[in-house]
Amino acid sequence: MKKIGILTSGGDCGGLNAVIKGAALMALNKGLELYVIPNGYAGLYNLLNQERLVRFDEARLDQFEASFAGSEAGHSRVKIKAISNPDKYNRIKIGMKKFDLDALIISGGDDSGSVMIDLNQNGVQCIHCPKTMDLDLQTYSVGGDSTINRIAQFVEDLKTTGRTHNRVLVTEVFGRYAGHTAFRSGVAAEADCILIPEIPVDWDVVYEHVVERFTRRIRQSDVHSGTYTIVVAEGMKNADGTEIVDESAGIDAFGHKKLAGAGKYVCQEIKKRFKSDPRMPLFMKETGMFVEGIYEIPEVREIHPGHLVRAGHSSAYDINFGFEAGAAAVLLLLDGKTGVTISKVKGRKVEYIEASKAIEQRYVDLDQVAMYESLGTCFGRPAVPYEPILREVDGVYERIY
């Protein structure tokens, strides 16, 4: 093993540059050369046509910071298996041979990880560093902590405008299948309601929680000021379990339908109930807000921070994990390990699992949800009693997430 290529794929997020830098620094330490393959799997497929690759030597590593989110290597959303060219795998191998690359380090989520498995099964030696801000892999994934911190800050900051205008504020965040980031960021920001894909929404439960908490705050305020915050994952489901999708938009490279706006849908449901609730005009008059024909119900607004939650700077936790995962990938390749996913580095122990197991969906623990329901947070269902199991443990063995 002398030369290794590295690529990142899927959505951008915090910690990826730490993965790259950790791999590059470990490669330098072990006398190896690490080269960046730009533009993800598209770049890998077109490697044959590249004139040169950038080597991550000490001088090049000084040009970017591990703390920056995004990826110095660039991304694309390409599924190799879906390429019609029957010679696609051989084309990739020829491209790698052109630059004498012995193996690949690939950082990506479940979709990108499935491509890594496909490549490995077709004779391309590669190893997987887990990356997805959705935190829905079995292992911790670089990017999750950075995203949770940014969402939490946005939701907390938005309370100032919410209280100023007495608004119900709905913040939609990423999370198609699992609601880890909505859950953890919502808890951290003390959101009143958190809606995640794992729990189909009972709108009557949500509405009564909104009315009780929102109106109480405004009534009890000496200046009649209050707000109510909702964090909703894009993959939120209705009570019948259906996703809110745009049927006219087709599907992406990995067969996913385009989601059609969970935040907007939440706003519509609450507004509809405000308009039909005879308590609302009375509340508005009681608190001095009612203006006939203009201001008869409270305002409900949607906020969509979008890619801001995956941009900017990485959290310290993700930088640490990124360095460890990138460095560990090099060490595993030197030991002849391929087709696996880095799990964690603990002292001198580098832990890994089969990539096919790592990319299986991991969902929010509903028992954990029940604990926060007991603290008053609404999750769009009747609160489930929290019955704890108490046990003493010897030491601390788990990471944060």
Side-chain angles (χ1 to χ4, degrees):
M1 189 76 60
K2 295 181 179 180
K3 296 183 178 181
I4 301 171
I6 189 167
L7 66 90
T8 56
S9 179
D12 56 303
C13 64
L16 273 170
N17 280 327
V19 172
I20 295 170
K21 206 160 188 177
L25 290 169
M26 183 58 75
L28 287 172
N29 178 266
K30 297 298 181 181
L32 306 176
E33 296 178 7
L34 187 81
Y35 293 84
V36 62
I37 299 173
N39 305 314
Y41 287 125
L44 179 64
Y45 181 71
N46 291 302
L47 194 56
L48 186 61
N49 300 325
Q50 294 286 326
E51 292 300 318
R52 59 183 290 272
L53 291 180
V54 171
R55 179 187 173 192
F56 278 129
D57 56 14
E58 289 178 338
R60 183 63 180 83
L61 289 174
D62 284 340
Q63 294 178 28
F64 77 94
E65 297 292 332
S67 62
F68 291 165
S71 171
E72 189 77 1
H75 283 218
S76 62
R77 194 157 175 77
V78 172
K79 186 175 184 178
I80 299 296
K81 187 182 287 187
I83 298 173
S84 59
N85 180 2
D87 201 38
K88 50 185 172 285
Y89 299 108
N90 193 47
R91 174 187 170 94
I92 289 171
K93 292 174 188 175
I94 293 172
M96 290 179 63
K97 187 174 181 180
K98 176 180 178 178
F99 294 100
D100 296 322
L101 298 179
D102 299 304
L104 301 174
I105 295 172
I106 296 170
S107 190
D110 53 346
D111 288 334
S112 301
S114 69
V115 178
M116 190 282 299
I117 294 168
D118 177 47
L119 289 170
N120 198 68
Q121 291 173 343
N122 281 275
V124 179
Q125 291 191 86
C126 41
I127 202 159
H128 179 226
C129 293
K131 181 279 322 169
T132 173
M133 47 164 277
D134 294 329
L135 286 179
D136 55 354
L137 302 185
Q138 293 297 315
T139 61
Y140 176 76
S141 307
V142 71
D145 186 68
S146 300
T147 296
I148 287 167
N149 279 281
R150 286 179 71 81
I151 295 171
Q153 189 67 62
F154 290 145
V155 174
E156 184 64 34
D157 289 349
L158 283 165
K159 291 179 183 179
T160 61
T161 194
R163 283 191 291 266
T164 300
H165 296 279
N166 287 349
R167 288 172 177 160
V168 174
L169 295 181
V170 181
T171 304
E172 180 186 329
V173 300
F174 294 104
R176 183 179 188 112
Y177 301 114
H180 295 286
T181 53
F183 175 40
R184 289 300 179 183
S185 63
V187 166
E190 295 188 76
D192 300 295
C193 180
I194 303 168
L195 304 177
I196 57 178
E198 291 86 344
I199 302 175
V201 179
D202 183 328
W203 293 107
D204 291 336
V205 170
V206 171
Y207 183 67
E208 287 306 316
H209 194 269
V210 171
V211 170
E212 187 283 322
R213 189 169 286 196
F214 180 61
T215 60
R216 171 175 54 79
R217 285 171 178 162
I218 294 174
R219 283 190 173 109
Q220 291 178 350
S221 166
D222 59 0
V223 290
H224 293 317
S225 171
T227 188
Y228 184 97
T229 54
I230 299 175
V231 178
V232 54
E234 62 181 344
M236 176 201 75
K237 294 180 176 63
N238 270 317
D240 61 2
T242 57
E243 284 185 327
I244 302 166
V245 298
D246 183 353
E247 296 291 352
S248 66
I251 59 175
D252 67 11
F254 290 88
H256 306 314
K257 290 183 178 180
K258 182 180 179 182
L259 297 173
K264 181 179 179 181
Y265 191 87
V266 173
C267 290
Q268 290 172 345
E269 288 294 321
I270 295 174
K271 286 179 184 177
K272 179 172 67 178
R273 284 167 168 77
F274 272 158
K275 289 178 181 178
S276 63
D277 188 345
R279 295 173 294 179
M280 280 303 108
L282 297 175
F283 161 71
M284 296 292 282
K285 289 175 182 178
E286 176 191 342
T287 52
M289 294 187 285
F290 186 87
V291 180
E292 59 273 10
I294 297 175
Y295 194 19
E296 297 184 350
I297 63 171
E299 292 182 318
V300 185
R301 295 290 183 91
E302 174 202 5
I303 298 93
H304 199 290
H307 286 72
L308 285 172
V309 306
R310 62 201 318 160
H313 281 76
S314 306
S315 70
Y317 186 87
D318 272 337
I319 295 169
N320 277 259
F321 182 81
F323 272 126
E324 293 168 7
V330 172
L331 296 173
L332 287 176
L333 284 175
L334 281 172
D335 196 52
K337 303 289 190 302
T338 62
V340 298
T341 298
I342 310 299
S343 173
K344 71 172 78 170
V345 177
K346 190 174 182 180
R348 294 183 180 273
K349 295 179 182 178
V350 175
E351 298 181 8
Y352 60 93
I353 62 174
E354 289 295 324
S356 59
K357 296 178 181 177
I359 65 172
E360 292 177 2
Q361 288 284 321
R362 179 172 66 89
Y363 299 102
V364 171
D365 183 347
L366 297 188
D367 287 334
Q368 199 85 38
V369 167
M371 190 190 81
Y372 286 101
E373 286 175 327
S374 72
L375 302 182
T377 306
C378 177
F379 286 86
R381 68 178 185 181
V384 175
Y386 180 64
E387 302 294 341
I389 298 172
L390 308 179
R391 64 173 182 172
E392 182 180 357
V393 295
D394 219 358
V396 178
Y397 298 104
E398 300 298 326
R399 285 186 178 272
I400 296 173
Y401 301 109

